[in-house]
Amino acid sequence: MTNPLRKNDWLPQPVPFDATITLDRDLPLRDGGSLKRARLAYCRWGHRHLPAVLVLGGISAGRQAFADAGQTGWWEALIGPGKPLDPNLLQIVSLDYIGGAGDSEGPGNSRLAGPQFPAVTTHDQASAIDRLREHLAIDQWQSVIGSSYGGMVTQAVAADHPNTLRRALVIGAANQPWPMASAWRHVQRRLVHLGLEHQLETETLALARSLAMTTYRSGQEFCERFGTADGIRDLTDYLEHCGRQFCDRFDPYAYLTLSRSIDKHQIDPRDIAVPLDVLGFDSDQISPPEQLREFHSRLPGGGFFHIARSTFGHDAFLKETGCVGHHVRQHLETIL
Amino acid sequence: MTNPLRKNDWLPQPVPFDATITLDRDLPLRDGGSLKRARLAYCRWGHRHLPAVLVLGGISAGRQAFADAGQTGWWEALIGPGKPLDPNLLQIVSLDYIGGAGDSEGPGNSRLAGPQFPAVTTHDQASAIDRLREHLAIDQWQSVIGSSYGGMVTQAVAADHPNTLRRALVIGAANQPWPMASAWRHVQRRLVHLGLEHQLETETLALARSLAMTTYRSGQEFCERFGTADGIRDLTDYLEHCGRQFCDRFDPYAYLTLSRSIDKHQIDPRDIAVPLDVLGFDSDQISPPEQLREFHSRLPGGGFFHIARSTFGHDAFLKETGCVGHHVRQHLETIL
C-alpha cells in the first residue's frame, strides 16, 4: 500500500491514548429507557488528522484492541507501526461496549446496577459510537472494521448512521444470529441465571464460558489438539482454565446484556448502502459461511466476500492474523 | 430380501416379550469392582429359533426399541412385520444398559445407589450382553446393530466376544470419542455435578439435556426450523421442553455414568475381526464423517462404509428412517 500520508512521518510518533468521556445528552435505547450521563471508555492511536478507522471486537473484547501500558491488545497482531492498521497512517479508535464489562456504562458500574441495567441493542451501540465520533470531531470513519459482535455493531453503524462511514469490513457476523448459536447462548444465559438465583455466579459464569469456548472453536481444531487417548484431560483442563480466566474479568450481568444483544440483532441488509466487505471462515459454528453468503448477497452497496479456510472456527478473527491482515489491507486499499 | 424363513409363516404371530433376569455370577467391571446379582432388563420379538439380531441405541434409549404394551419404541420405524427388522424373520433383542436409567442394574435401583455406582465401560456393557446371550441360549448373534453409544458397545462386543457375532452395523459411532463431543459432555457433567452439590438436580439435568440436544442436531436443521425473526422463542421453548421431558425419565447419576462411559470408550480397530459396516451422516457433530472414515479404514474385517446426507446430525439414526432402513437391509442381506 503506497500512501501519501507517509509525508507525515516527521510528526512525533503517536502513542496509544486511553480516555473516558461522559455523554452530556441522554442516550435513548431502542428497546426502551435511556442512559443518562453514560460513560464511554475508548482508546485511540494515531494523530487526529489521520483517516479514522473504528475497530470493534467480540463481546469480551474491550477498547484495548492494541497494546497500552503493558497490556496486550486483542488485535495486537493487526495494529501497530508497519502492521495492517498502522497508527502512522491511520487514527485507530476502539471502545468498550455499553452494557459490557469494561469502563463504559454497564451493569457493573452504573446506577442501573446488575439486573436493573436495560436491554442494549446493536443499534444502541451504534448510537453510543456516534456520540464518541462527535466528541472526537471525526466527520466520517474512513472504515469501520468489526468482528463477531463488533461485526453486528458495524452493520448497525452502517444502517443507522450511513453518512458517518465510507466503507465497512465485517468479519464473522451476519445480519441476524445463527439459530444454533442462539441455542448455545440460551443455554449459557440459563446457566448464568441459575447461578444468580442460587449464589453460584462464579461457577455458572465459568461453565457458560467453557461452553462458549467450544462454540468459538471447531471440532477439527479440538481433534488436532486433544485427539489422543490422554487428550480429554488436557481438553477439560483447557475448558476449566478458560472459564476461570473469564470470571476474573467479566460480570454476569454484563455477559447477559451483551449475549441478549447478539440474539436481538436483526438488520435488513437493504438498509446498508455503503460498501461492506465480508470475511468469514469455513469452520465458524457461530456465523457459518452459508449465512454470511446469504447476508452478503442481499447487500445493495457491494463489497468483497471471502470465506477463508481455518480450523479456528469463529475465533479465526483472532487467530488467523496473516489471513485477516491480508483482508484488512485489501479493504483499506479501496479507501485510502 | 427373499428369505427362506418365510416358510415359518405358519407359526403363531410372535409378540414382543419383556423380561428381567438376575445374573447368578458377579459381573466384573473393567475399571474395578463388580456388580453382584446384577439385573438385566431386555425385550425380545420374534421366535427363538429365528436368527438373532441385537439392537442397541443411544444412552437414553432403552430396551423398548419396538412397541410394547402401548409404548412407542425408539426404532419403531425400523422394527416390525414388513419392516427392515422383521420379527417374522428375525429374533430381535434389545436391552437396558447397565448404569443407565432403565430397569437393568443402575444407580437409581441398585444397592450401589447414586454416587456409589461404579464406573461402567462399553466393555462392561459387552460382558452384560454376553450374559444375556447365554441366558437366551443364543449361540451367535447373526448381527449386532448399534447406533450412537450402542455403536460403541457394538464394537466392544465384536472386540471382546468375537465368536458371538457374525457381522455388525455401527451407526454414528467411532472407536473413540470425538474431542468436541467430549468437551460438550464435560460441560454437561459439570452442570449435573453442580446441581447435585446444590440441590438443583432437576434444573441442571434439564439444562444439560438442552445442551445435548443442540449437539445431537445440526445448525442447518435449526436454521430451517427456527431461522425466522420470531424463531428464537420457538427454539428456546423447544430446548426447555426437551430438558424437562428428559428429567421425567432420567436419573442424574445414570446420566453421569453413561456420559463418562462414552468418554472412556477406546477400541483398537485392529481388535475387531468380524465384518463391520459403518453408516454415518454428514451433519453429525458427535461422530463426524472424517472420524468414522478413519475408524473404518483401520478395520481388518471389512464391511461397507457410507456417509449419508441429512440435516438431522447425530439424531439422523432416529430420524432418517428410510435411509437407515435401506442400510439395515443391505447389512442383513450379506448375512441372511
Side-chain angles (χ1 to χ4, degrees):
Chain A
M1 183 168 66
T2 58
N3 196 301
L5 291 163
R6 275 286 176 202
K7 70 188 172 194
N8 294 306
D9 276 356
W10 58 267
L11 282 171
Q13 187 74 12
V15 291
F17 178 81
D18 188 343
T20 301
I21 59 169
T22 302
L23 301 184
D24 48 5
R25 284 173 292 132
D26 283 9
L27 190 76
L29 300 172
R30 181 73 68 116
D31 281 2
S34 66
L35 295 179
K36 290 179 207 317
R37 297 190 60 73
R39 282 174 308 115
L40 282 185
Y42 70 96
C43 282
R44 196 179 64 184
W45 196 3
H47 292 291
R48 61 178 62 207
H49 65 278
L50 290 172
V53 174
L54 177 68
V55 169
L56 303 167
I59 60 168
S60 60
R63 66 190 188 277
Q64 269 106 12
F66 37 84
D68 176 43
Q71 296 274 321
T72 303
W74 56 265
W75 240 19
E76 191 80 27
L78 277 291
I79 307 174
K83 294 179 182 173
L85 293 161
D86 188 333
N88 291 312
L89 305 176
L90 301 167
Q91 175 189 181
I92 304 148
V93 176
S94 193
L95 84 163
D96 286 345
Y97 292 120
I98 54 172
D103 292 332
S104 289
E105 197 82 8
N109 62 25
S110 177
R111 276 166 300 181
L112 299 167
Q116 296 175 279
F117 200 84
V120 168
T121 66
T122 48
H123 298 286
D124 303 325
Q125 303 289 0
S127 303
I129 285 166
D130 209 53
R131 297 287 178 88
L132 177 63
R133 184 190 58 74
E134 286 172 3
H135 169 82
L136 295 174
I138 292 169
D139 283 340
Q140 196 178 42
W141 306 106
Q142 295 302 301
S143 160
V144 180
I145 302 178
S147 302
S148 189
Y149 180 60
M152 292 179 162
V153 174
T154 297
Q155 297 162 32
V157 172
D160 301 350
H161 309 276
N163 299 323
T164 69
L165 81 169
R166 280 186 61 198
R167 193 177 184 101
L169 169 60
V170 166
I171 306 176
N175 57 310
Q176 54 187 33
W178 179 242
M180 181 58 87
S182 297
W184 287 324
R185 282 187 295 267
H186 169 75
V187 172
Q188 291 161 35
R189 290 196 298 268
R190 289 272 291 112
L191 235 168
V192 172
H193 275 293
L194 194 72
L196 288 167
E197 285 160 20
H198 296 93
Q199 291 79 53
L200 297 166
E201 294 94 348
T202 310
E203 293 88 336
T204 55
L205 185 61
L207 205 44
R209 179 66 172 186
S210 294
L211 169 55
M213 284 310 297
T214 67
T215 72
Y216 295 158
R217 298 300 176 93
S218 80
Q220 196 53 47
E221 190 222 344
F222 275 23
C223 180
E224 285 163 17
R225 275 172 80 182
F226 306 116
T228 62
D230 298 331
I232 291 185
R233 184 180 303 268
D234 295 337
L235 167 58
T236 57
D237 286 352
Y238 166 73
L239 293 176
E240 306 269 313
H241 169 77
C242 293
R244 273 194 308 273
Q245 205 181 34
F246 188 69
C247 292
D248 292 342
R249 63 193 179 89
F250 231 85
D251 169 79
Y253 291 105
Y255 187 75
L256 291 173
T257 302
L258 294 185
S259 173
R260 285 194 200 105
S261 184
I262 298 173
D263 281 323
K264 284 169 179 285
H265 180 67
Q266 289 283 344
I267 295 253
D268 187 334
R270 291 170 299 185
D271 292 341
I272 300 176
V274 300
L276 190 141
D277 299 316
V278 173
L279 173 63
F281 292 91
D282 59 353
S283 58
D284 191 336
Q285 305 183 82
I286 297 290
S287 296
E290 57 266 42
Q291 199 198 20
L292 296 186
R293 184 169 288 115
E294 159 78 10
F295 165 50
H296 188 264
S297 73
R298 294 169 58 204
L299 287 169
F304 72 69
F305 176 75
H306 188 73
I307 299 296
R309 296 191 69 134
S310 174
T311 62
F312 285 111
H314 191 64
D315 269 359
F317 81 91
L318 296 170
K319 306 285 281 182
E320 300 286 2
T321 53
C323 169
V324 172
H326 169 79
H327 285 90
V328 166
R329 284 187 200 272
Q330 187 184 329
H331 161 75
L332 293 175
E333 274 167 13
T334 59
I335 315 162
L336 301 179
Chain B
M1 180 167 69
T2 58
N3 195 303
L5 291 163
R6 277 283 176 201
K7 70 187 172 194
N8 294 307
D9 275 354
W10 59 268
L11 281 171
Q13 187 74 12
V15 291
F17 178 82
D18 188 342
T20 301
I21 59 169
T22 302
L23 302 184
D24 48 4
R25 285 173 291 131
D26 284 8
L27 189 77
L29 300 172
R30 181 72 67 113
D31 281 0
S34 66
L35 296 178
K36 291 178 207 315
R37 299 191 58 74
R39 283 175 306 117
L40 282 184
Y42 70 96
C43 283
R44 197 180 64 185
W45 196 4
H47 292 293
R48 61 178 63 206
H49 63 278
L50 291 171
V53 173
L54 177 68
V55 170
L56 302 167
I59 61 168
S60 59
R63 65 191 189 275
Q64 269 107 12
F66 36 85
D68 176 42
Q71 296 275 321
T72 303
W74 56 265
W75 241 17
E76 191 80 28
L78 277 291
I79 307 174
K83 294 179 181 173
L85 293 160
D86 189 330
N88 291 312
L89 306 175
L90 300 166
Q91 175 190 181
I92 303 149
V93 177
S94 193
L95 85 164
D96 286 344
Y97 292 120
I98 54 171
D103 292 331
S104 289
E105 197 82 9
N109 62 23
S110 175
R111 278 166 298 181
L112 299 167
Q116 295 175 281
F117 200 84
V120 168
T121 67
T122 48
H123 299 285
D124 303 325
Q125 303 290 359
S127 302
I129 284 165
D130 209 53
R131 298 287 179 86
L132 176 64
R133 185 190 57 74
E134 286 172 4
H135 169 83
L136 296 174
I138 293 169
D139 283 342
Q140 197 179 42
W141 306 107
Q142 295 302 301
S143 160
V144 180
I145 302 178
S147 302
S148 188
Y149 181 60
M152 292 179 161
V153 174
T154 298
Q155 297 163 30
V157 172
D160 301 349
H161 310 276
N163 300 323
T164 69
L165 81 168
R166 279 185 63 200
R167 193 176 185 101
L169 169 60
V170 167
I171 306 176
N175 58 308
Q176 55 187 32
W178 179 242
M180 181 58 86
S182 297
W184 287 325
R185 283 187 296 268
H186 169 74
V187 173
Q188 291 161 35
R189 291 195 299 268
R190 289 270 292 112
L191 236 168
V192 172
H193 274 294
L194 194 71
L196 288 166
E197 286 161 20
H198 300 278
Q199 290 77 52
L200 297 166
E201 293 93 349
T202 309
E203 292 87 337
T204 55
L205 186 61
L207 204 45
R209 180 65 173 186
S210 294
L211 170 55
M213 284 310 297
T214 67
T215 72
Y216 295 157
R217 298 301 177 93
S218 80
Q220 197 53 48
E221 190 222 347
F222 275 23
C223 180
E224 286 163 17
R225 276 172 78 182
F226 306 116
T228 61
D230 298 330
I232 290 185
R233 184 180 302 267
D234 294 338
L235 168 58
T236 57
D237 286 352
Y238 165 73
L239 293 176
E240 306 269 313
H241 169 78
C242 292
R244 275 194 307 274
Q245 203 181 37
F246 188 70
C247 292
D248 293 341
R249 62 192 180 90
F250 231 87
D251 170 81
Y253 290 105
Y255 187 74
L256 291 173
T257 302
L258 294 186
S259 173
R260 285 194 201 105
S261 184
I262 298 173
D263 282 323
K264 284 168 179 285
H265 180 68
Q266 289 283 342
I267 295 254
D268 186 334
R270 291 171 300 185
D271 292 341
I272 300 177
V274 300
L276 190 140
D277 300 317
V278 173
L279 172 63
F281 292 91
D282 59 353
S283 59
D284 190 337
Q285 304 184 83
I286 297 290
S287 295
E290 57 265 44
Q291 199 198 21
L292 296 186
R293 184 169 287 117
E294 159 79 11
F295 165 51
H296 187 265
S297 72
R298 294 167 61 204
L299 287 168
F304 71 69
F305 176 76
H306 188 73
I307 299 296
R309 294 191 72 133
S310 173
T311 62
F312 285 111
H314 192 64
D315 270 359
F317 81 91
L318 296 168
K319 305 285 281 183
E320 300 285 2
T321 53
C323 169
V324 173
H326 169 80
H327 286 90
V328 166
R329 284 187 201 273
Q330 187 184 331
H331 162 75
L332 293 175
E333 273 166 12
T334 59
I335 315 162
L336 300 179

